[in-house]
């Protein structure tokens, strides 16, 4: 298995894996995989990767901005999805580790994830890659008529954005 940059031609496979996650009911509030344009416009143009083995995409990871305000330019939301038939094989760990490297190469100093508490595998994956739980957002949104809580996790870079010197514009 190897990790490589996402290419637009990968999107049909990425979309299928995304839909598999959606179908679990514990991956996202999204009820249907986004179209190419929706997905492409919601993600950073950098830090998009896929895990590949035997010419098959096993999973993907990407970053989306949390805000269009300049002060938050170095903060991004993590998306990591692994195909159902590839779970438990270390794919998520490799993807998230590579995504962290890519994020720092693109001047991202803070990564955050919002994870349903029921998604224990994702919470464990994030903890194993240096994320910490910073809170629980109770009843953040309704999904199929049911209020859902979200665990908020974050990872601060040890190399990007570490200066305590105030910026002067």
């Amino acid at each position: 298995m190897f990790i490589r940059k996402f290419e637009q031609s990968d999107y049909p496979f990425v979309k299928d894996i995304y839909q598999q996650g959606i179908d679990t009911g514990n991956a996202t509030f999204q009820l249907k995989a986004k179209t190419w344009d929706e997905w492409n416009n919601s993600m950073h143009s950098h830090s998009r990767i896929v895990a590949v083995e035997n010419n098959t995409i096993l999973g993907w990871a990407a970053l989306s901005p949390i805000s269009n305000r300049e002060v938050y330019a170095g903060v991004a939301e993590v998306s990591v999805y692994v195909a159902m038939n590839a779970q438990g094989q270390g794919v998520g760990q490799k993807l998230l580790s590579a995504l962290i490297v890519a994020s720092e190469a693109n001047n991202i100093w803070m990564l955050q994830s919002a994870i349903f508490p029921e998604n224990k595998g994702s919470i464990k994956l994030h903890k194993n890659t240096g994320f910490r739980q910073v809170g629980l957002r109770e009843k953040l949104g309704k999904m199929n008529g049911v209020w859902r809580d979200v665990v908020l996790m974050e990872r601060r870079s040890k190399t990007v954005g570490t200066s305590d010197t105030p910026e002067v514009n």
Side-chain angles (χ1 to χ4, degrees):
M1 175 182 38
F2 64 96
I3 307 296
R4 68 164 169 78
K5 284 185 176 180
F6 166 88
E7 298 169 2
Q8 185 175 346
S9 61
D10 297 329
Y11 188 69
F13 306 101
V14 164
K15 184 179 180 181
D16 286 346
I17 293 168
Y18 188 27
Q19 188 63 52
Q20 289 175 24
I22 291 169
D23 290 346
T24 68
N26 286 324
T28 177
F29 279 108
Q30 196 78 26
L31 297 177
K32 170 176 101 163
K34 296 175 183 178
T35 66
W36 161 250
D37 287 335
E38 291 169 332
W39 188 88
N40 185 47
N41 292 330
S42 69
M43 300 292 176
H44 276 298
S45 58
H46 62 77
S47 305
R48 299 174 177 191
I49 56 177
V50 292
V52 180
E53 184 174 72
N54 298 325
N55 295 318
T56 301
I57 295 176
L58 303 178
W60 63 274
L63 297 178
S64 55
I66 62 139
S67 174
N68 60 5
R69 294 180 59 198
E70 187 176 336
V71 69
Y72 298 118
V75 183
E77 175 105 14
V78 171
S79 291
V80 179
Y81 286 82
V82 177
M84 295 299 284
N85 63 353
Q87 292 183 3
Q89 300 174 26
V91 176
Q93 183 75 43
K94 288 182 180 173
L95 280 167
L96 189 50
S97 295
L99 189 64
I100 290 167
V101 171
S103 73
E104 291 176 338
N106 286 283
N107 208 32
I108 302 293
W109 60 78
M110 180 74 74
L111 296 175
Q112 69 178 38
S113 287
I115 305 168
F116 291 130
E118 297 83 0
N119 195 340
K120 295 187 186 319
S122 186
I123 292 170
K124 181 179 178 185
L125 168 64
H126 283 75
K127 284 183 179 178
N128 288 344
T129 50
F131 283 73
R132 65 186 181 100
Q133 183 173 332
V134 293
L136 177 70
R137 300 182 79 187
E138 295 178 1
K139 297 182 180 178
L140 183 64
K142 276 190 176 180
M143 187 170 163
N144 298 320
V146 177
W147 284 105
R148 299 290 302 267
D149 296 344
V150 172
V151 174
L152 186 59
M153 301 188 78
E154 70 179 21
R155 182 189 185 280
R156 177 72 190 208
S157 172
K158 292 177 175 49
T159 60
V160 177
T162 58
S163 172
D164 289 331
T165 306
E167 289 196 23
V168 178
N169 292 334

